[in-house]
Amino acid sequence: MALKAKLLEAFPAQAKSDVKEKGVSMECNDSFKTVSTGNAPHTPDEMRVNFLNTTKRVMRERAGSLCSYRKCLRATLLPIMKKDTTSGSARIGDAAHIYGASANGPRRELPPGYDVSKLSDVENGVWMCCHHARQIDRAEIEHTAEELTDMKRVREFAQQRIVTDSFLHSFAPYVPAMVLDEVVWEHLPALDVGVVRQAMINACYPYFPGSDALLGRTMPDPPSHFILTPVARVVKKVAEDAPLPEAAEVARIDLSLHERNRAFQIVDGWAQLMPRATRNDDLHLVSSCYVKLAARNPGTGEIDDAFIWTKATYASVRRVSVANNKQLTIRVSSSRKRVSDLDWQLNISILNDDYRAESVLKTHGAIAPQDIRDDHEWSQFCAYARVISRLAEGWEPIGFVSQRSNDCNDVRWIHPEPFEIEMRISPEELAELQYRCNKAVLARELSFQWGCRFVFTHDYFDRALTELMIRAASAQLLYQQASPSWPPVNRIGPLVQIQAREVYFSNRSGDIMFDTSPIPRLDRACLTL
């Protein structure tokens, strides 16, 4: 009787009215009867501790109006049109109790010293869709208070990061909420904000249009659906229509069939993302796809872990009656990017039984990272530098093509069979690329030293501008800007003359760079004399 009196004193309104709140969520709950599963209740039998509507609204907002149940995350707010033609919303979710709301419900055993008045508090509730709220709050299912607390903690933590972190907020429209929640689940119980934030950013990259996924990851094992099933039919046709060839000819035919089958698998993968109304066997046009460039040891066949994962800006395919293997064309080009000047050109043409392929690697332009301090861009550059180093050691380039087109930036969809690439970069060019990589590393060092962005220019990579000049100019400008002077000094030089230009080291609007100015005509004439 003493316990019952204490509860009645804590919830006088509920003892009188049993919380006659209106709403969709209460209708969901009222359709279930409490199941009695034990003795020693912690609330009086005739009362149920319910949440106020204001408390439920706070729970819903903290959960982002999504169900907190793991791998559900169903939306719980429905836009509706009322009879008077005004718009509104309907709540299709409800708050479930972490510790039981009644004497006969689940999780009715309270921990020692638990304040009974907190049963209707925000911290004792977790926002769910109606389906899971019914199961958790009314039906006897195996969910402990600790599990429900984790669900509440994960959903609210992820929602808070998405809303308050400007970087994650920009990714939110492109990334399913379940992906970010699973990242938080993986870091329980200690949720270090910095560690979880970086993990969430890494999980976002494959979904962001135009962004490149983090590099340096190992390729997954090929799934079972890559079995080359069409080969048997083609081999049977060859055996029926042609005499038995020599062993070398058989090997050539098998290789050709294998390469043809790989091309068709890639094209079929591209077609799956096209609108069903435009999918046919006559014509497919794809604007882009992702490719992977790596290095392979020609002696052992080992493929290096580091690779360049980049978007090829043009990929197209035209095919007629692919089921009969009549015609197919694939072109992949312009695979260079800010942190990679490697350009892979792949052309495949299949006409009836004729298979032709051209695959070459060249260089185009120069690397120019936007901000080499950024961890993502730095990881891309490190992968590029590693590939260049391997190629200089005599490793051969190989390429992989994604089976998803356009902005599908997921390395798991890469076709596991590599394309051979003809190396058209000379050893002298590779040595120059390695020299540029070393200068990019120096630029990152200066960028952190100054605490600002380093702007890459063409003259910065010129060999006439030595490392000693670069370090001396940086130290001198830092010293002069730290000293009180008027007007303030923001430029040092000229450091060196390159053709008809003078190179200076400048600090402009928070960016450091090695820019140039043309040599005056009079000075140029003196140099000529």
Side-chain angles (χ1 to χ4, degrees), residues 103-293:
N104 300 320
R107 300 174 305 283
R108 57 190 173 277
E109 296 295 335
L110 299 179
Y114 190 87
D115 188 355
V116 181
S117 63
K118 293 184 178 180
L119 288 174
S120 59
D121 191 70
V122 172
E123 298 303 322
N124 189 46
V126 53
W127 187 255
M128 298 282 179
C129 63
C130 279
H131 172 71
H132 287 117
R134 289 169 179 172
Q135 288 184 339
I136 293 172
D137 231 15
R138 294 302 178 106
E140 278 291 342
I141 62 174
E142 297 299 328
H143 279 302
T144 65
E146 290 74 15
E147 291 175 345
L148 297 177
T149 301
D150 285 344
M151 292 182 190
K152 175 184 178 69
R153 186 183 177 198
V154 167
R155 179 83 282 275
E156 293 182 358
F157 181 92
Q159 184 65 23
Q160 183 186 33
R161 292 293 93 205
I162 294 172
V163 174
T164 60
D165 191 298
S166 59
F167 195 80
L168 288 172
H169 184 72
S170 64
F171 280 111
Y174 307 99
V175 185
M178 189 180 302
V179 173
L180 300 180
D181 276 34
E182 285 302 309
V183 173
V184 181
W185 275 104
E186 293 172 359
H187 288 79
L188 285 177
L191 293 179
D192 183 277
V193 176
V195 175
V196 178
R197 177 182 183 271
Q198 187 59 49
M200 295 173 77
I201 292 174
N202 294 346
C204 287
Y205 279 121
Y207 298 88
F208 191 63
S211 175
D212 297 317
L214 293 179
L215 303 179
R217 294 182 290 185
T218 305
M219 285 292 296
D221 294 331
S224 58
H225 63 266
F226 283 116
I227 299 176
L228 306 179
T229 52
V231 173
R233 295 197 302 269
V234 182
V235 171
K236 181 179 179 181
K237 183 178 185 301
V238 171
E240 293 174 351
D241 298 345
L244 186 64
E246 299 293 335
E249 184 68 14
V250 172
R252 187 190 65 79
I253 294 175
D254 289 343
L255 179 61
S256 176
L257 293 175
H258 181 77
E259 292 174 343
R260 288 163 58 93
N261 189 76
R262 174 181 55 186
F264 285 120
Q265 287 178 346
I266 293 174
V267 171
D268 290 339
W270 288 353
Q272 290 182 15
L273 292 185
M274 297 179 181
R276 187 171 296 275
T278 62
R279 283 167 53 180
N280 54 68
D281 287 338
D282 295 332
L283 179 65
H284 290 238
L285 294 177
V286 180
S287 61
S288 60
C289 71
Y290 277 84
V291 298
K292 167 190 166 182
L293 295 176

Side-chain angles (χ1 to χ4, degrees), residues 152-454:
K152 175 184 178 69
R153 186 183 177 198
V154 167
R155 179 83 282 275
E156 293 182 358
F157 181 92
Q159 184 65 23
Q160 183 186 33
R161 292 293 93 205
I162 294 172
V163 174
T164 60
D165 191 298
S166 59
F167 195 80
L168 288 172
H169 184 72
S170 64
F171 280 111
Y174 307 99
V175 185
M178 189 180 302
V179 173
L180 300 180
D181 276 34
E182 285 302 309
V183 173
V184 181
W185 275 104
E186 293 172 359
H187 288 79
L188 285 177
L191 293 179
D192 183 277
V193 176
V195 175
V196 178
R197 177 182 183 271
Q198 187 59 49
M200 295 173 77
I201 292 174
N202 294 346
C204 287
Y205 279 121
Y207 298 88
F208 191 63
S211 175
D212 297 317
L214 293 179
L215 303 179
R217 294 182 290 185
T218 305
M219 285 292 296
D221 294 331
S224 58
H225 63 266
F226 283 116
I227 299 176
L228 306 179
T229 52
V231 173
R233 295 197 302 269
V234 182
V235 171
K236 181 179 179 181
K237 183 178 185 301
V238 171
E240 293 174 351
D241 298 345
L244 186 64
E246 299 293 335
E249 184 68 14
V250 172
R252 187 190 65 79
I253 294 175
D254 289 343
L255 179 61
S256 176
L257 293 175
H258 181 77
E259 292 174 343
R260 288 163 58 93
N261 189 76
R262 174 181 55 186
F264 285 120
Q265 287 178 346
I266 293 174
V267 171
D268 290 339
W270 288 353
Q272 290 182 15
L273 292 185
M274 297 179 181
R276 187 171 296 275
T278 62
R279 283 167 53 180
N280 54 68
D281 287 338
D282 295 332
L283 179 65
H284 290 238
L285 294 177
V286 180
S287 61
S288 60
C289 71
Y290 277 84
V291 298
K292 167 190 166 182
L293 295 176
R296 181 175 62 189
N297 189 319
T300 63
E302 173 192 358
I303 299 177
D304 195 69
D305 290 338
F307 58 85
I308 301 171
W309 176 245
T310 181
K311 188 175 184 178
T313 56
Y314 179 77
S316 67
V317 54
R318 182 180 184 275
R319 58 181 188 172
V320 179
S321 300
V322 175
N324 297 326
N325 294 348
K326 288 187 176 180
Q327 182 174 346
L328 178 144
T329 304
I330 298 177
R331 293 187 181 92
V332 175
S333 61
S334 298
S335 58
R336 57 188 175 86
K337 56 195 299 186
R338 292 193 303 266
V339 295
S340 171
D341 51 10
L342 297 181
D343 190 11
W344 178 29
Q345 303 284 338
L346 173 66
N347 294 300
I348 297 176
S349 177
I350 299 177
L351 180 60
N352 296 327
D353 295 331
D354 183 26
Y355 173 87
R356 296 184 182 182
E358 181 185 21
S359 178
V360 298
L361 185 65
K362 303 177 181 179
T363 59
H364 184 84
I367 59 174
Q370 185 174 4
D371 190 352
I372 202 168
R373 296 174 301 168
D374 180 72
D375 291 340
H376 173 56
E377 197 159 53
W378 175 246
S379 66
Q380 293 178 320
F381 170 78
C382 290
Y384 161 77
R386 177 66 177 270
V387 172
I388 293 296
S389 177
R390 288 300 193 188
L391 295 179
E393 294 173 4
W395 290 41
E396 57 188 12
I398 56 173
F400 300 82
V401 178
S402 174
Q403 293 186 110
R404 290 295 183 267
S405 58
N406 299 331
D407 289 326
C408 185
N409 183 12
D410 193 338
V411 73
R412 294 174 297 180
W413 285 108
I414 206 79
H415 195 285
E417 294 292 334
F419 286 90
E420 305 289 336
I421 301 179
E422 179 186 352
M423 184 73 162
R424 293 190 181 176
I425 305 175
S426 66
E428 293 75 17
E429 290 177 308
L430 286 175
E432 179 65 23
L433 295 180
Q434 288 184 298
Y435 174 78
R436 290 172 177 248
C437 288
N438 293 333
K439 274 205 167 180
V441 174
L442 176 59
R444 176 178 166 87
E445 179 184 338
L446 295 180
S447 184
F448 278 110
Q449 184 179 359
W450 281 80
C452 61
R453 188 170 68 104
F454 186 97

